[in-house]
Amino acid sequence: MRAANIVHLGNKELRSLARDPILLFLIVYSFTIGVYASATAMPDSLNKAPIAIVDEDGSPLSSRIASAFYPPHFLVPVQISQPEMDARMDQGLDTFALDIPPNFQRDLLAGRSPAIQLNIDATRMSQAFTGNGYIQAILDGEIAEFLQRSRSADPSPVELNLRHRFNPSLTQAWFGAVMEVINNVTMLSIILTGASLIREREHGTVEHLLVMPVTPGEIMISKASAMGLVVIVASALSLVLVVQGLLAVQIEGSLLLFFAGTGLHLFATTSMGIFMGTLARSMPQFGLLMMLVLLPLEMLSGGVTPRESMPTVVQLVMEAAPTTHFVALAQAILYRGAGFAVVWPHFAALVLIGALLFSLSLARFRRTIGLMA
């Protein structure tokens, strides 16, 4: 295996990629608009949720509660009657409908436990999930303040002192932007290497490679290294220009350590892309394989949902996936500023997984080359 052959073949891969406008657009879009949209598309908090109020009490307390809902979390409440409540919910006009019963203030001051009915349109999942907590907190605050004026309230014997570490402002964009970069590294490394191999087959240039004095190992390493270099450069520019620059996300750890882990991750995922490229006979087939492989890799790696909340069997199976260890080391480095002493087990796991995937892919690639010959 000669380094000169790998360099020349790698240059060929880069020139081929430069002549493919679709893949170039995918790279640029994924690491710019895709990262920005993923960070900002989901609002950090409830935003302009429509709410209606049925005030059957007509008391100062019920008026106080109605006036507590205002933009930007909620739209200005619409005062409706009880017969209108179900009709408006059926039409999708309101996400929340609050029904304050008659004699609510009188029963509360008398020491009873009156109930307020809250109707939620659960088809609007994002607003319904977070709005319930917002409304409960607003009701508790307004009622507690009202009661403190009429009778003394005992203070809580315990004070909870909160410390929000690693994301003190609880900004969703901090998490979404970095995780989108991590997901794009995995996605594009598999797509670019697999597509480069299928492009060789579709254009008939595999036969040209077979008559050249190069080995299958040199061909595979050149494809993996060239596409991996493109992904690393694109992700580095995205982290610096989009994540840190445009979105003002604070990166706590060493970017050099992160890209060292990225290189090991690419060693595994580019091998996976070549393996999938040998299985698929066309780009449509490769796209279907991508759907079967990429979604589990991203959804079950711990980036979307903590792995501790998954079934034990899924956790054990995903230990063999490179994305699991890449997400863990990336979050530890970029979010919590971890050093090599903390993340070295994930580095070691990526080396082992990458070596195994590279060996399997090389064996499959040699067999495919042999069949073509």
Side-chain angles (χ1 to χ4, degrees):
M1 186 176 296
R2 292 181 295 177
N5 288 344
I6 296 175
V7 172
H8 291 311
L9 290 172
N11 288 333
K12 178 188 74 68
E13 295 297 332
L14 294 177
R15 288 195 297 270
S16 297
L17 178 63
R19 292 192 294 268
D20 193 328
I22 300 300
L23 287 181
L24 288 177
F25 174 78
L26 177 63
I27 295 171
V28 174
Y29 174 85
S30 298
F31 284 108
T32 54
I33 299 176
V35 172
Y36 183 83
S38 178
T40 58
M42 293 294 292
D44 298 337
S45 59
L46 193 67
N47 186 48
K48 295 183 178 180
I51 183 172
I53 295 180
V54 179
D55 187 359
E56 299 183 82
D57 189 25
S59 64
L61 177 57
S62 63
S63 300
R64 180 190 183 98
I65 291 174
S67 63
F69 298 95
Y70 49 82
H73 297 320
F74 297 91
L75 294 176
V76 177
V78 179
Q79 296 286 343
I80 62 175
S81 63
Q82 193 175 48
E84 295 178 289
M85 183 172 60
D86 290 338
R88 289 178 62 88
M89 293 287 287
D90 292 340
Q91 297 173 30
L93 299 178
D94 302 319
T95 303
F96 305 99
L98 195 67
D99 186 357
I100 303 176
N103 303 320
F104 174 72
Q105 176 178 314
R106 187 185 66 183
D107 292 343
L108 185 68
L109 294 176
R112 305 185 185 96
S113 299
I116 296 180
Q117 184 185 74
L118 176 62
N119 295 276
I120 303 176
D121 182 358
T123 60
R124 302 178 179 181
M125 282 299 299
S126 60
Q127 288 187 338
F129 183 75
T130 57
N132 180 28
Y134 275 79
I135 293 175
Q136 184 67 58
I138 290 173
L139 288 176
D140 291 343
E142 294 298 326
I143 292 173
E145 187 174 347
F146 178 81
L147 290 177
Q148 286 177 1
R149 296 181 178 180
S150 60
R151 64 186 182 194
S152 60
D154 296 332
S156 174
V158 178
E159 179 182 358
L160 184 63
N161 198 345
L162 299 178
R163 294 288 189 273
H164 297 123
R165 301 189 61 186
F166 315 123
N167 188 357
S169 60
L170 299 180
T171 305
Q172 173 68 23
W174 287 24
F175 178 81
V178 174
M179 283 309 306
E180 185 67 12
V181 173
I182 294 173
N183 291 335
N184 287 338
V185 168
T186 301
M187 177 186 69
L188 288 174
S189 60
I190 297 177
I191 289 178
L192 293 180
T193 50
S196 68
L197 182 58
I198 294 176
R199 185 169 53 236
E200 299 272 14
R201 183 185 296 118
E202 291 180 342
H203 293 174
T205 54
V206 174
E207 289 78 3
H208 299 169
L209 293 176
L210 295 178
V211 298
M212 295 175 62
V214 294
T215 65
E218 292 171 350
I219 298 174
M220 180 173 169
I221 291 177
S222 66
K223 292 182 179 297
S225 59
M227 298 302 104
L229 177 62
V230 171
V231 173
I232 283 186
V233 172
S235 60
L237 292 175
S238 180
L239 277 176
V240 174
L241 299 179
V242 179
V243 177
Q244 289 184 303
L246 186 60
L247 296 172
V249 177
Q250 296 182 11
I251 301 298
E252 297 294 337
S254 169
L255 289 178
L256 291 178
L257 183 61
F258 167 71
F259 286 118
T262 303
L264 294 179
H265 177 62
L266 291 173
F267 175 49
T269 52
T270 52
S271 300
M272 187 184 303
I274 291 178
F275 184 83
M276 293 169 58
T278 60
L279 295 176
R281 297 300 177 185
S282 63
M283 284 302 295
Q285 288 185 5
F286 183 70
L288 292 176
L289 283 176
M290 281 292 301
M291 294 174 61
L292 295 175
V293 173
L294 189 62
L295 288 178
L297 286 180
E298 293 187 354
M299 297 296 294
L300 303 178
S301 62
V304 178
T305 303
R307 295 185 63 240
E308 293 77 12
S309 63
M310 301 178 188
T312 304
V313 175
V314 175
Q315 296 184 40
L316 294 176
V317 171
M318 291 304 296
E319 282 291 334
T323 50
T324 299
H325 303 281
F326 180 55
V327 168
L329 72 87
Q331 290 182 345
I333 295 171
L334 299 179
Y335 291 150
R336 299 186 287 273
F340 183 75
V342 175
V343 298
W344 74 264
H346 300 296
F347 275 69
L350 285 176
V351 170
L352 294 176
I353 296 172
L356 177 61
L357 289 175
F358 184 85
S359 301
L360 292 175
S361 301
L362 182 58
R364 173 72 186 180
F365 185 61
R366 281 174 174 164
R367 190 181 314 148
T368 304
I369 290 277
L371 292 176
M372 292 179 181

